[in-house]
Every structure is written in C-alpha cells, then in structure tokens.
Amino acid sequence: MNDQATDWIAAPAYVWEGASARPVVRIDAPRLELLRGIDRQKAAAAENVLRLAHGHAAHDMLLWGSRGMGKSALVRSSVRAAQDEVAGRIALVQIATDAVTSLTALFTRLASVDRQFLVFVDDLGFAADDAAGPRHLRSWLDGGVEARPGNVRLAVTSNRRAIVARHHVEQDDPLNPRDAVDDQLALADRFGLSLGFHACSQDEYLAIVRGYAEEYGLDWTEAEALEWSKRRGARSGRVAWHFITELAGRAGRALPVN
C-alpha cells in the first residue's frame, strides 16, 4: 500500500503497519459507562481525549498495571466517546510494538493533516537489551527533533510503570541500582498523565459483571460469577467479560467485540 494515498480524514481509526496505514471502519469498544471498577482512571482518560478532540492542550497518557483491567478498552472507548461528541475531529491510530521505531515516519504524515490523532501503542515493553526503543520514545515525548506534532498525542499501555523488563531495571547497574531504576522510570515520567490499574476487589468484580449482564439482558448469580473467577485465579474486567460471554453463549445470544 502506498501510504501517500491514505485518506487520514475518512476513517475513525487506522492501523499503522510500519510504512503504511490501513483504515478501520469502526472502533470496537464498550461504552464508557460499561467500564466499571476504574472510575477515576476512566474520568481522567476520557477528559484528556476529549480535550485533544477539541484541539485543546492534552497529555500523553501511560496506562499501566494489572492485566485485564480495561487499559486498552478504556483508550478505545474514550476515543469513541470523543468522536460521538466531536464528529470527525479525532481518530485513533494503533501501532504494533515492533513498529515503534517507525513513529517518526507516522508523525511526519500526521503533522500536515487537519485532524487530531491519538496514537496508541498497546502492551508496550522493551527487552533487556533494547536501549534504542526507550531513548527514541523519550525523545518524542520530550519535544526533541523527532517529537510528535501538536495534533498528535500518545497513549501507551504497559503491565509495568517502568515499561522495561524488571530484571533490566534491577540489574542494569548493580553498583548504583537506584540510578538504574530512576533512568528507566524517567521514561514513564515523560507522560503527562499516568494512570495505574490494580486488581479489582470482589465487589468491583461483581459490579463489572452486573453492568454487562444488565446491558445484555443476561441472567446470572453472584455465586456462579465468583466461582468462575475462582477457577481462573483472578478477578478482573477481562475475567468478568469471559463470564458474560459464557452466559450469552448458553442463552444462544451474540455479543459485540469487547
């Protein structure tokens, strides 16, 4: 595909593949009100994305923490909600983690487009021997010569606030471990908005199940929902959605992609 032919105005979302972009006709994401147990994070992220959609000052975002607690869904849902309010003014551009080094080429293309963009890097993590990746990302966030343009902000999800592998942080400099930790956390500190996600409580897990069940008209019991999470060894939004999928399947119902 010749990326020069990409219509950066027409689609609500795109997938950047390192040298070209593929339009996505619809962002699959739950409505914001269905994302429960993360109220503080939801309010902050949705407000920040809406500011970007309006062309106001907005932060780069780092969403980090427990798996399955809605980090990626929140990014997608926030963009969809902003698109509902400011039609056509913002698009989501998702890139693969192995295409991070091509961000400069993407930013060059987006800089000249009269539209706001949230560039989304999902589940980012750098290998212990990858020094270039963190340095490049730090430069883009800091406003260096390869910084992202004013109509673009970054949203990154990661299982760790430090983004890099734990053993890299801890062993990089055995004589000065605090310096090594500080150096790697410096990347996380470049994000204006950093939101932590933590494993949900039993009540929060049940609230997530309840919200989905009410939305899709599914019968359920707390006992079965708790047994489902116990068998999977975790309580999270993802586990709750898997339980809802099971209920819908039993009832012969279809569900949207979540």
Side-chain angles (χ1 to χ4, degrees), residues 48-117:
N48 191 59
V49 173
L50 188 58
R51 290 178 187 173
L52 175 62
H54 280 289
H56 302 161
H59 297 293
D60 298 297
M61 300 190 299
L62 173 63
L63 294 78
W64 61 274
S66 298
R67 296 179 182 275
M69 282 305 298
K71 299 186 294 293
S72 301
L74 178 54
V75 172
R76 292 182 279 112
S77 296
S78 295
V79 174
R80 277 197 62 181
Q83 289 174 339
D84 289 341
E85 182 162 333
V86 190
R89 290 306 305 156
I90 186 171
L92 183 68
V93 184
Q94 183 163 353
I95 73 168
T97 54
D98 59 1
V100 167
T101 54
S102 70
L103 274 176
T104 300
L106 172 61
F107 293 160
T108 299
R109 288 158 173 77
L110 298 181
S112 61
V113 181
D114 183 20
R115 195 182 194 188
Q116 309 299 117
F117 295 94

Side-chain angles (χ1 to χ4, degrees), residues 104 107 135-149 190:
T104 300
F107 293 160
R135 281 201 304 269
H136 278 117
L137 191 53
R138 195 176 304 170
S139 175
W140 293 318
L141 290 166
D142 265 351
V145 294
E146 294 182 317
R148 76 281 183 276
R190 295 316 197 264

